[in-house]
Amino acid sequence: VQLVESGGGLVQPGGSLRLSCAASGSISSINAMGWYRQAPGNQRELVADITSRGSTNYVDSVKGRFTISRDNAKNTVYLQMNSLKPEDTAVYYCHARILPRGSFSLNDYWGRGTLVTVSS
């Protein structure tokens, strides 16, 4: 099982980016999916997550600006980021709690991360 992120890059303050993360491999089912971020010198923090039924949760600092969604048919989670601020600059990591095929327990999987830089 692997998670592959895409969509990071450099954007000016006030701009938008859309991150995508696709899960692939021997997957039976996917529980929660989400996005974390880690800025230099900071701990990794949860940005947003979404259950298999579509319930969402956001860190206060991104509420009203970021939107998480998922396409269960494609095993993909998205993060639409609007009104970006310099303090949003970080490496963004995709996370998923997955039941691998043939397993009886959920495992946590992480992507390698994609860099988002908000700067003029």
Side-chain angles (χ1 to χ4, degrees):
V1 175
Q2 64 175 353
L3 304 180
V4 178
E5 301 117 330
S6 61
L10 173 65
V11 64
Q12 292 186 341
S16 298
L17 281 176
R18 188 192 195 208
L19 305 183
S20 299
C21 171
S24 62
S26 185
I27 296 171
S28 178
S29 64
I30 301 178
N31 195 337
M33 302 185 81
W35 292 93
Y36 288 69
R37 67 185 178 187
Q38 188 168 18
N42 290 358
Q43 291 186 332
R44 190 174 296 189
E45 66 168 353
L46 173 67
V47 177
D49 59 16
I50 183 168
T51 68
S52 58
R53 295 186 177 184
S55 295
T56 59
N57 175 53
Y58 297 91
V59 68
D60 285 346
S61 60
V62 308
K63 285 180 180 178
R65 300 188 298 122
F66 291 10
T67 302
I68 190 170
S69 61
R70 64 190 281 176
D71 184 333
N72 290 332
K74 296 181 178 180
N75 290 341
T76 299
V77 63
Y78 306 95
L79 186 67
Q80 178 66 44
M81 304 185 293
N82 299 329
S83 303
L84 282 160
K85 304 176 181 180
E87 52 263 43
D88 295 317
T89 296
V91 177
Y92 284 71
Y93 296 91
C94 176
H95 167 264
R97 187 153 290 173
I98 295 173
L99 181 66
R101 202 162 287 165
S103 174
F104 295 99
S105 62
L106 290 165
N107 294 334
D108 289 309
Y109 294 88
W110 293 89
R112 292 187 174 184
T114 184
L115 178 62
V116 172
T117 303
V118 185
S119 175
S120 54

